[in-house]
Structure formats: structure tokens, C-alpha cells
Amino acid sequence: MKIIDVHGARIPALGLGTWTLEGSDCRDLVSKAIDVGYRHIDTARMYGNEAAVGEGIRANGIARDELFVTTKVWWTELTRDALLASAKASIDDLGIGAVDLFLIHWPNPDIALEESIDALNEVVSQGLARHIGLANFPSALLHEAAAMSQAPLVCNQVEYHPLLSQNSVLEACRVNDMALIAYSPIGRAGALIEKEPVKRAAEAHGRSPAQIVLRWHMEQPNVGAIPRTSKAERLQENLDVFDFELTNEEMEAISALASPRGRIVDPSFAPTWDRD
């Protein structure tokens, strides 16, 4: 397993995303994912499944220090008191003690960024999380947040895949010594599966197109991915991407699929920010 080591946080580069997973299905899938080798589990307050994620972890019986758990505070809860209350509620629902990584889920232009970053730092000082970071921050705002934070910000979690260029955000993460963690790493609605560079690489390596795209992520420095699946049979497939390598030509051909501009936020969820 590739490990991303930033500011003392050792983040397993391939994790399990749990968005839309609920109840016993979520619990069972989390436990199964740990069985097959996942060591990074991602959730969020907004998902409404932190209790189920915690149940899955406890049901599995894995030692707490063998697992890296991420959760997030929703963009409407970024005042100091609301952010800390959300963090404490997440810890209570998960029931596994402090989380390894606590993120601001989306930026909010109506709440002072400095107040939110100061509160994020309190999450660490109060022992609620070991590390802190961001999600869905465009590059200019990421630079501002990193400059404000006393504790290092270890990652920015954004939508990223071969159809969506995030070059500006990738560079901002590099400058600030942060990881980029990709959600929707295989794209949406199977858009990548039939792309010729992906299909050619899949045939050449005897792998599925999804495995090729996940391997594309894994070969980039300080880039991780949290693919979501509701199917237990997909868990092993998504994890089996560490015993082959893409050629430089394959990496370049897949990267060339990217649009220079794309969607970093879903306006139905959060305010619209410029990507760059």
C-alpha cells in the first residue's frame, strides 16, 4: 500500500469513500473493506453515516492504530462554536476516539476564513483529531488557509480524475506540502471506462478500466484516492492496483483526456467558487 507522509500524517493513499452508504449496508461494507485490506476510511458529518462507519470499524475488531479515519464538518457549520460542536458530535457518533484527519468540507464565503481555520486548529488542541485539512478549496483560498493555520494542513480533498484537470490545485498542494485526495477518482457515470487510452492500458495490463484509472492516481506523488462503492465484490478490485505500473506513455495519454476547466463544487451542495 502506498503511504502519503505529510507533516507526520501517514495517509494510506487508497481509501474507502462512504458517501451515500447508510445503515447496516454501510456498517457491513466498512467491516468487509477492512477485511480485504483497506486502512483508510472516509466519512463526513453531512453523510449521516458516521455512526454506521463506527459500528463497522468496531465490528471488524481491527486495532484502532491500524486504521486512518477521516471525517468533515459541513460548510454551514464553520463558525467557531458550530465547528467544534460538529467535531464533538462526529467523535461521539463514530465512537472510536479521536479521528486521524478532520476536514472543512467546503469553504463558506459568508463566514470569516480566519475564524474557521482557528476553530479547525482547536480541534487538534482539544484532542478531537490528530491532523486537519481542507476539502474543495480552490488554490487561492488554499494558500490563504495554509498561511493562517498554526497546525499544518495535511490535505485538500477534491474531485479529481483524468477528465478533470486540477493542475492549479495540485501545484498549490505541492507548494504547501499537502496531499491531494481525490474523490470520484474513477469519474462519474462510467465516463472514463470507454476512453481509448484507458481501454488500451486495461488490455495491455489485463486489468479493468477502473483499476487503470486508480493506478493513474497512485503513480502521482502525494495523490491519494477514495473510491466509493456499494458492492462488496468491487472492494478487492479497487484495492488491487499496487502490483503493476503504467508506462510513461500510458500516463501521458490518460492525462491528456483532461479538460482544462471543470467543476470543483456542486452548487446544490455549496456556494460556487472559482476553481483556480
Side-chain angles (χ1 to χ4, degrees):
M1 172 69 76
K2 171 185 173 184
I3 300 293
I4 303 172
D5 194 339
V6 284
H7 300 294
R10 291 179 53 79
I11 308 171
L14 191 63
L16 175 70
T18 62
W19 183 39
T20 76
L21 299 177
E22 298 178 343
S24 60
D25 289 340
C26 178
R27 177 199 65 209
D28 295 346
L29 197 76
V30 166
S31 183
K32 176 65 174 177
I34 297 169
D35 277 342
V36 301
Y38 286 80
R39 292 298 180 263
H40 179 183
I41 308 296
D42 180 273
T43 183
R45 193 71 188 150
M46 184 275 286
Y47 299 170
N49 65 8
E50 288 169 317
V53 167
E55 288 174 8
I57 293 169
R58 294 192 302 275
N60 181 272
I62 188 171
R64 177 65 186 90
D65 61 2
E66 293 184 25
L67 204 61
F68 192 96
V69 179
T70 300
T71 195
K72 316 174 196 73
V73 57
W74 193 229
W75 71 282
T76 57
E77 307 298 317
L78 298 187
T79 62
R80 176 188 178 276
D81 290 347
L83 189 151
L84 290 172
S86 181
K88 290 171 183 175
S90 290
I91 300 307
D92 287 345
D93 280 358
L94 280 161
I96 56 171
V99 293
D100 299 282
L101 181 58
F102 187 83
L103 308 180
I104 291 178
H105 204 153
W106 301 90
N108 187 334
D110 296 324
I111 298 174
L113 181 61
E114 187 170 9
E115 178 179 0
S116 302
I117 296 300
D118 285 349
L120 193 62
N121 277 259
E122 284 195 59
V123 171
V124 174
S125 64
Q126 292 190 21
L128 303 172
R130 296 178 180 86
H131 305 282
I132 52 176
L134 311 171
N136 300 299
F137 271 55
S139 56
L141 204 63
L142 184 152
H143 286 301
E144 290 182 37
M148 290 175 180
S149 185
Q150 293 181 326
L153 303 177
V154 303
C155 82
N156 189 22
Q157 187 183 115
V158 299
E159 181 178 352
Y160 179 45
H161 48 73
L163 295 178
L164 175 56
S165 172
Q166 291 285 19
N167 286 340
S168 178
V169 175
L170 281 162
E171 177 61 14
C173 287
R174 186 193 67 78
V175 167
N176 290 286
D177 193 20
M178 296 167 63
L180 186 150
I181 305 298
Y183 66 80
S184 298
I186 307 173
R188 295 175 181 246
L192 277 159
I193 301 305
E194 294 302 318
K195 297 296 183 182
E196 282 303 317
V198 175
K199 288 172 63 178
R200 285 198 302 270
E203 292 169 2
H205 294 278
R207 302 288 175 147
S208 70
Q211 288 175 311
I212 295 299
V213 176
L214 289 173
R215 183 65 206 179
W216 176 85
H217 286 283
M218 295 300 103
E219 295 200 11
Q220 298 176 57
N222 279 9
V223 170
I226 46 169
R228 187 205 70 86
T229 183
S230 59
K231 299 177 180 178
E233 61 269 22
R234 293 289 188 195
L235 291 171
Q236 190 69 58
E237 176 185 337
N238 287 346
L239 195 64
D240 286 344
V241 295
F242 295 101
D243 59 350
F244 73 101
E245 295 181 358
L246 299 176
T247 66
N248 290 338
E249 292 77 14
E250 289 167 338
M251 287 291 294
E252 290 171 2
I254 294 169
S255 297
L257 293 169
S259 166
R261 295 193 63 82
R263 182 176 58 76
I264 191 171
V265 298
D266 182 338
S268 69
F269 282 168
T272 300
W273 295 82
D274 291 337
R275 281 187 58 254
D276 297 333

